[in-house]
Amino acid sequence: MDQLNAVIDSVNAFVWGPPMLGMLGMTGVLLTLGMAFMPWRKIGYGFRLLFDRSEASGEGEVKPFNALMTALSATVGTGNMAGVATAIALGGPGAIFYMWLIALFGMATKYAEAVCAVTYREVDEAGRYVGGPMYYLRNGVGEFAPELGKWLGLAFAVFGAVAAFGIGNAVQVNSMAAALGDSFSVPNWATGIVVASLVGVVVIGGIRRIGEVAGKLVPAMVVLYIGAALAVILVNIAEVPSAFGLIFTHAFTPAAATGGFAGAAVAAAVRFGVARGVFSNESGLGSAAIAHAAAQTRSPVRQGIIAMLGTFIDTLVVCTMTALVILTSGAWTLSGPDGGGLTGAILTSAGFQGSIAGGQYIVAAALPVFAFTTILGWSYYGERCWQYLFREKSLWIYRGLWVLAALAFANVKVELVWNLSDTLNGLMAIPNLVGLLLLAPMVFKVTRKYFDSQGAD
């Protein structure tokens, strides 16, 4: 297992090397500039659209709010707790700066993904709206480069169907089992059985049931988690300026070893900040576009504006709360039983525990809910990729494998799971980013037309 982990680590060094980081950043920057920073200027407008009841009057399967909640259910998960902690543990406090940076430009990427998804979505054999990168690659890029669009769409569907088992299943149930085992001594196998059973009940109902569950669970869990994080931050309010100082200082200078923290170079801050940021908000992966393609909407632009809120909420709000808990509490310098630094959900838990009584139970309670909703959201993403490859009649096979995977991954070594997920995320992003760059002129055109039209904000 250690040898396999070392091989995957080497692959990640290439997959998440300068070319991929540059492509993610370049795509976000070009889209942001091409829209004259519209995603940053229209955040307030996006929230007004999100709560506009008339927005659900268009064609589609789920309300725009539930489409966003489904996308958020897949993004607001262990990446917001375990992922942020891992970024700090491996890249130092400066990694948070690069999580913010990739999120700011990732809002434009997420917007473009949703616009393309709604524009090029299709109606399947059962009369349901389906879409996502595989469709806008085939139907959009395919308009001027048929063979390229075909192969890019196929590549995304293959990578997406497989990657779902990593980012959307293995990492989530693995982190859930670790949190429940450490705090409540729940055996890993018991966590696997319960999760597999609950997931099986929900995923059988498809996007509508997933959207309904996500629409209720996600807002509640985000508000409760942010409330708990704010309590810790208030307890350590005097350390907040120092925490921001660490983030900005070590974004450009190496972080020296201190306590259990082994130190980190600026290159590590960039690598792990961007990788964990993308893992958390999924901008550039194209996954959220699959959920937004099913939204009831009157305009691709309107759904795109709602979609970009997912990146804002996930990284710039929830991930920031976790980072401040870890840094203001000093937990990032603590040593574990082996003398090394803490990482993952254990580090986040230590941040809460060191500041408020019973704080460790906040993570133990929140992480399973976050992880569970992520498993639901990604089950839908994986299904749509599978459907694209093998048609709808074979979906029962994918659902069965999904439930069995939730049972099995509860007992897998966490380092291997995280590393494998990073690899699959990178492979998934490549065809999507190529497609977004090729379709950018269309996105700019429909965006300008929308905001030039009567009634635009």
Side-chain angles (χ1 to χ4, degrees), residues 72 75-77 79-81 83-84 87 95-107 110 222 225-226 247 272-283 308-324:
L72 275 175
T75 57
V76 179
N80 299 83
M81 288 182 279
V84 172
I96 303 305
F97 175 84
Y98 294 102
M99 289 186 76
W100 291 341
L101 194 63
I102 201 68
L104 281 172
F105 291 105
M107 290 175 64
K110 187 71 70 73
V222 168
Y225 182 74
I226 290 176
I247 291 171
F272 290 104
V274 172
R276 292 293 177 252
V278 172
F279 176 90
S280 179
N281 63 54
E282 298 174 17
S283 295
M308 74 187 191
L309 297 178
T311 298
F312 177 83
I313 294 169
D314 177 273
T315 305
L316 297 175
V317 177
V318 183
C319 285
T320 298
M321 292 294 102
T322 300
L324 290 177

Side-chain angles (χ1 to χ4, degrees), residues 76-227:
V76 179
T78 57
N80 299 83
M81 288 182 279
V84 172
T86 302
I88 294 174
L90 299 178
I96 303 305
F97 175 84
Y98 294 102
M99 289 186 76
W100 291 341
L101 194 63
I102 201 68
L104 281 172
F105 291 105
M107 290 175 64
T109 307
K110 187 71 70 73
Y111 166 83
E113 290 171 347
V115 169
C116 291
V118 175
T119 300
Y120 295 107
R121 65 185 179 181
E122 298 180 359
V123 177
D124 68 10
E125 297 172 356
R128 295 176 299 211
Y129 282 88
V130 294
M134 52 282 197
Y135 291 94
Y136 61 69
L137 290 169
R138 183 181 68 189
N139 301 335
V141 175
E143 288 181 352
F144 52 85
E147 285 300 310
L148 177 62
K150 173 185 174 182
W151 287 108
L152 287 176
L154 182 63
F156 180 88
V158 171
F159 292 144
V162 178
F165 283 96
I167 184 175
N169 195 317
V171 167
Q172 309 305 326
V173 72
N174 193 276
S175 297
M176 190 188 304
L180 292 175
D182 291 338
S183 298
F184 303 109
S185 300
V186 177
N188 289 354
W189 61 265
T191 298
I193 290 175
V194 173
V195 172
S197 300
L198 293 175
V199 167
V201 170
V202 179
V203 299
I204 291 174
I207 182 60
R208 291 184 180 178
R209 186 178 297 174
I210 292 172
E212 290 171 0
V213 173
K216 293 179 174 63
L217 279 180
V218 172
M221 73 183 188
V222 168
V223 169
L224 290 173
Y225 182 74
I226 290 176

